[in-house]
Amino acid sequence: MTVRRRISSSIPHLVGFAKRSFNSYNLPGYPSSSSSLAHGIHVFHCPDQVGIVAKLSECIASKGGNILGADIFVPEKKNVFYSRSEFVFDPVKWPREQMDEDFLNLSKVFGASTSVVRVPDIDPKFKIGILASKQDHCLVDLLYRWQEGRLPVDITCVISNHERGPNTHVLRFLQRNKIPYHYLHTTKENKREGEILELVLDTDFLVLARYMQILSGNFLRTYGKDVINIHHGLLPSFKGGNPSKQAFDAGVKLIGATSHFVTEELDSGPIIEQMVERVSHRDNLLSFVQKSENLERQCLAKAIGSYCDLRVLPYEENRTVVF
Amino acid sequence: MTSPRRVSSSFSQFLGFAKRSFNSYKLPGDPSSSPSLTYGIHVFHCPDAVGIVAKLSECIASRGGNILGADVFVSEKKNVLYSRSEFVFDPVKWPRKQMDEDFLKLSKMFSAIKSVVRVPALDPKFKIAILASKQDHCLVDLLYGWQEGRLPVDITCVISNHHRGPNTHVMRFLERDNIPYHYLQTTKENKREGEILELVLNTDFLVLARYMQQVLSGQFLRTYGKDVINIHHGLLPSFKGGTPSKQAFDAGVKLIGATSHFVTEELDSGPIIEQMVERVSHRDNLQSFVQKSENLEKQCLAKALRWHCDLRVLPCEENRTVVF
């Protein structure tokens, strides 16, 4: 299914289609002529004008690619354009490097601020470093999902300011899977940021899985790539520590978790995903915390999943488009 | 269905049973001998002790009342008991005044902080006054719900600091239903609280349906002395104060909400009764934020009012509520 030509993108256009899964799509047939189609994703973010969708879809079609789904978004009154397309193509007819070149041309034509193409089967997985502290429910959940193949990343290392003995569940898991664990004890004076930076230099993004230290602006600028955090509260409520207790004392009837990009300001970066659960007088602080931990796991995993799927794009100063 | 005797209520006990509706329950049969059973609700809030549930249920049973549902909650560390029972009874066998007396005795026995019995079919409806400003989506929704019989109250009057012409939807509605509308313009210096108090003296509680006069003073609240329920168009404690939709929009949240709560001297800080959320995304603009918010406010406020009339909302500790 291809997107129609000449769709004007100067008006708000919300086009969503069914999404397909990410397994390679093999056509049955004789080995000599059977083509093995691969899935590709392309995201594009540029100043808005007439003809972008036409050009993008023409580019894909001209190389024999077939668009299976697309999301286009042009916000009201803002002259910017966001698009995310999923397509299948024959890597023989459209080699990976050629694809990069073709999309690069388009990004130049439209002055794009983001143009990313990704072919999950061919491209290397995202490399991530996970930072955690003492609380390990999120860390364990991520490791488990990764093991199940539901988290399409390579975990380069786990860094923690909490020491774990060699016989703990986490250490044994990491050992079995040959993922290094770095214990970096932190103090008020020394957050070990230099050492952390060295350990994560070759990662594509970082995940703070209830890492209880604030990363400095200096760190973030030097690292230069995205850092995703899970906050155990419904931002902007309950920033900072102990949001469960804050929520409990406030007598709220809903508690939540928020996953967001990390910025210099604590718990204030662009929000990716939020989830809630009901609480009542029958809950005590313990059940508040338990419900919260459950939400944090789900919310963080969803955010990382969306991010790896190239579904999350920066929107204005402090928001996100999540397709 | 009667609760078993000697149920110890000194530890956390959560008993929930099926709830019935509030229509009078009539048994078919010979008019001369058929009893007409009526619904009653009793709520009780007292220091915890062994035997409370036993005594309460015995009281009801001894008068031929049949408990259809009950919620009992004992707060973990606080040693207080909350109970709400729904029962059917024969008003001939258990006259209304006798019922009051019987429960009063029990409340003295257990030094109850609160003991309220209500027979919706016999007792007068709750009298409420609604305060609104220019935004009338909540007001209109309440009026409509009331007209449909879904809001079991008597609306004594509507008070507003916004002038409405005689040919507006609201005014015509109120006229048709003989509900007075009082336009009391407010300024920074004069909130007209004295006049409002006079108008609402005989109400059982007040509803602020997007009444935008910031804070009702502590003086007003103390003088009025009864409950005031407010709807806040945000998920408290986020976005207190004005334009929470815009605040939420700028913050880039993915969920927006509404909160109904009891009014205290501090703005948007009283005990929360109910909260609701809805998802928002990049596809929402400020207008759709506001529309979704208004929808939530209507639902959330209406729900809080219904619960309050059902005696489901009880104060819990300093700033919380038990909502059965």
Side-chain angles (χ1 to χ4, degrees):
Chain A
M1 195 226 82
T2 51
V3 178
R4 284 172 299 153
R5 294 182 169 234
R6 289 224 159 74
I7 294 174
S8 164
S9 32
S10 59
I11 54 176
H13 227 76
L14 313 174
V15 178
F17 301 87
K19 313 266 183 288
R20 301 289 194 280
S21 77
F22 271 140
N23 301 319
S24 266
Y25 181 70
N26 284 318
L27 292 175
Y30 298 114
S32 53
S33 63
S34 72
S35 47
S36 179
L37 296 184
H39 261 89
I41 320 167
H42 176 244
V43 292
F44 204 65
H45 174 202
C46 64
D48 191 34
Q49 57 176 279
V50 168
I52 307 177
V53 180
K55 283 261 178 332
L56 287 178
S57 48
E58 174 57 25
C59 169
I60 295 170
S62 68
K63 302 290 186 170
N66 191 12
I67 294 175
L68 300 179
D71 270 293
I72 313 271
F73 173 59
V74 175
E76 253 182 14
K77 301 171 196 166
K78 310 270 177 193
N79 245 17
V80 287
F81 172 96
Y82 293 87
S83 122
R84 180 181 179 279
S85 335
E86 287 182 28
F87 53 92
V88 284
F89 68 101
D90 181 351
V92 171
K93 290 192 190 159
W94 198 6
R96 185 71 185 83
E97 264 128 29
Q98 183 63 50
M99 186 182 282
D100 273 340
E101 258 187 64
D102 294 335
F103 283 121
L104 184 62
N105 281 347
L106 281 173
S107 80
K108 286 177 179 160
V109 166
F110 293 110
S113 38
T114 304
S115 175
V116 180
V117 62
R118 186 166 166 74
V119 181
D121 288 336
I122 299 175
D123 298 350
K125 288 187 187 169
F126 286 112
K127 291 191 194 51
I128 68 169
I130 306 178
L131 282 72
S133 293
K134 183 177 178 185
Q135 295 276 341
D136 58 20
H137 53 281
C138 285
L139 170 63
V140 169
D141 184 73
L142 289 179
L143 293 176
Y144 179 66
R145 284 174 195 264
W146 169 81
Q147 189 178 54
E148 298 280 298
R150 287 183 284 136
L151 197 62
V153 297
D154 276 335
I155 305 175
T156 53
C157 64
V158 172
I159 299 168
S160 177
N161 61 337
H162 177 75
E163 174 157 49
R164 288 176 164 82
N167 213 28
T168 52
H169 172 68
V170 169
L171 261 300
R172 290 175 63 187
F173 182 105
L174 296 176
Q175 236 184 336
R176 259 196 328 267
N177 289 281
K178 302 200 165 49
I179 300 172
Y181 180 89
H182 303 282
Y183 166 48
L184 290 179
H185 177 70
T186 51
T187 60
K188 262 195 192 155
E189 297 79 39
N190 187 5
K191 305 286 181 177
R192 318 289 291 269
E193 288 190 346
E195 293 159 84
I196 297 176
L197 270 168
E198 241 176 282
L199 288 167
V200 303
L201 266 177
D202 64 340
T203 55
D204 295 305
F205 65 95
L206 292 185
V207 175
L208 307 187
R210 291 296 302 273
Y211 186 62
M212 304 307 276
Q213 296 296 314
I214 302 174
L215 296 174
S216 70
N218 199 40
F219 176 96
L220 295 170
R221 277 184 296 273
T222 314
Y223 177 64
K225 289 163 278 189
D226 289 323
V227 180
I228 297 177
N229 180 48
I230 182 69
H231 178 72
H232 46 317
L234 212 53
L235 293 176
S237 283
F238 309 136
K239 293 185 183 182
N242 225 346
S244 290
K245 180 147 201 335
Q246 292 184 52
F248 187 74
D249 291 339
V252 295
K253 301 291 177 179
L254 292 170
I255 55 165
T258 306
S259 54
H260 64 101
F261 289 112
V262 174
T263 57
E264 219 171 321
E265 209 187 319
L266 176 64
D267 295 332
S268 299
I271 293 173
I272 303 169
E273 170 70 15
Q274 295 184 289
M275 295 181 175
V276 287
E277 186 169 347
R278 288 200 163 273
V279 289
S280 76
H281 55 277
R282 297 190 189 285
D283 283 286
N284 51 25
L285 188 53
L286 179 62
S287 63
F288 258 65
V289 168
Q290 282 172 346
K291 287 180 175 181
S292 181
E293 290 184 359
N294 181 42
L295 287 170
E296 293 159 46
R297 290 193 292 248
Q298 295 183 55
C299 193
L300 179 60
K302 184 145 193 221
I304 298 173
S306 297
Y307 184 82
C308 293
D309 262 4
L310 303 191
R311 291 183 181 282
V312 186
L313 297 160
Y315 180 27
E316 284 170 27
E317 263 193 47
N318 212 40
R319 299 214 285 272
T320 58
V321 167
V322 181
F323 283 130
Chain B
M1 196 226 80
T2 50
S3 297
R5 292 185 170 232
R6 290 223 160 74
V7 173
S8 165
S9 30
S10 61
F11 50 84
S12 301
Q13 269 235 350
F14 312 140
L15 302 178
F17 300 89
K19 313 269 182 286
R20 302 286 196 282
S21 75
F22 272 140
N23 302 321
S24 266
Y25 182 70
K26 290 196 156 52
L27 294 174
D30 196 332
S32 55
S33 63
S34 68
S36 178
L37 295 187
T38 316
Y39 265 93
I41 320 168
H42 175 243
V43 292
F44 205 64
H45 176 200
C46 65
D48 193 31
V50 169
I52 304 175
V53 179
K55 283 268 180 324
L56 287 177
S57 48
E58 173 58 25
C59 168
I60 295 169
S62 68
R63 301 293 189 179
N66 192 13
I67 293 176
L68 299 181
D71 269 293
V72 178
F73 172 62
V74 174
S75 172
E76 231 176 30
K77 298 162 191 165
K78 305 287 174 175
N79 248 22
V80 286
L81 174 135
Y82 295 86
S83 135
R84 178 181 181 278
S85 336
E86 287 182 24
F87 53 92
V88 283
F89 68 101
D90 182 350
V92 172
K93 290 192 191 159
W94 198 7
R96 185 71 184 82
K97 288 201 186 72
Q98 184 64 51
M99 187 183 283
D100 274 339
E101 261 186 57
D102 293 336
F103 282 122
L104 184 62
K105 280 208 192 85
L106 282 172
S107 81
K108 285 180 178 154
M109 186 188 304
F110 292 112
S111 310
I113 302 156
K114 187 175 192 150
S115 176
V116 181
V117 63
R118 184 166 167 77
V119 180
L122 296 174
D123 298 349
K125 288 187 188 170
F126 286 113
K127 292 193 193 47
I128 69 167
I130 306 177
L131 281 72
S133 293
K134 184 175 177 188
Q135 295 275 340
D136 58 20
H137 54 282
C138 285
L139 170 63
V140 169
D141 184 73
L142 289 181
L143 293 175
Y144 182 64
W146 169 81
Q147 187 178 56
E148 297 279 295
R150 284 183 283 123
L151 194 61
V153 296
D154 277 335
I155 304 176
T156 57
C157 65
V158 171
I159 298 169
S160 178
N161 61 336
H162 176 75
H163 183 255
R164 287 178 166 82
N167 211 28
T168 53
H169 173 69
V170 168
M171 292 303 285
R172 290 176 62 189
F173 184 107
L174 296 177
E175 228 185 334
R176 261 199 322 270
D177 289 273
N178 290 330
I179 300 172
Y181 180 91
H182 303 282
Y183 165 49
L184 291 178
Q185 193 198 31
T186 51
T187 60
K188 263 197 191 152
E189 298 77 39
N190 187 6
K191 307 282 183 178
R192 317 290 290 271
E193 286 191 347
E195 294 161 85
I196 297 175
L197 270 168
E198 242 177 281
L199 289 166
V200 305
L201 267 176
N202 64 340
T203 55
D204 295 304
F205 64 94
L206 293 185
V207 176
L208 308 187
R210 290 297 302 272
Y211 187 63
M212 301 307 277
Q213 265 320 285
Q214 302 298 301
V215 199
L216 289 175
S217 71
Q219 165 103 335
F220 176 96
L221 295 170
R222 278 185 296 274
T223 313
Y224 178 64
K226 288 163 278 190
D227 289 324
V228 180
I229 296 178
N230 180 46
I231 182 68
H232 178 72
H233 46 316
L235 212 53
L236 293 176
S238 283
F239 309 136
K240 293 185 184 182
T243 63
S245 290
K246 179 144 200 338
Q247 292 184 53
F249 187 75
D250 291 338
V253 294
K254 301 290 175 179
L255 293 170
I256 55 165
T259 307
S260 54
H261 65 101
F262 289 112
V263 174
T264 56
E265 221 172 318
E266 210 187 317
L267 176 65
D268 295 331
S269 298
I272 294 173
I273 303 170
E274 168 69 352
Q275 296 183 288
M276 294 181 175
V277 288
E278 186 169 347
R279 287 202 165 271
V280 288
S281 76
H282 54 279
R283 298 189 189 284
D284 284 288
N285 51 24
L286 187 53
Q287 188 187 32
S288 63
F289 258 64
V290 168
Q291 281 171 351
K292 287 181 175 182
S293 181
E294 292 185 357
N295 180 41
L296 287 170
E297 293 158 47
K298 289 189 293 213
Q299 294 181 59
C300 194
L301 179 59
K303 195 148 195 211
L305 292 185
R306 272 202 309 277
W307 283 348
H308 191 59
C309 293
D310 262 4
L311 303 189
R312 288 183 179 281
V313 187
L314 297 161
C316 181
E317 285 164 39
E318 265 193 45
N319 212 42
R320 299 212 284 275
T321 58
V322 168
V323 181
F324 282 131

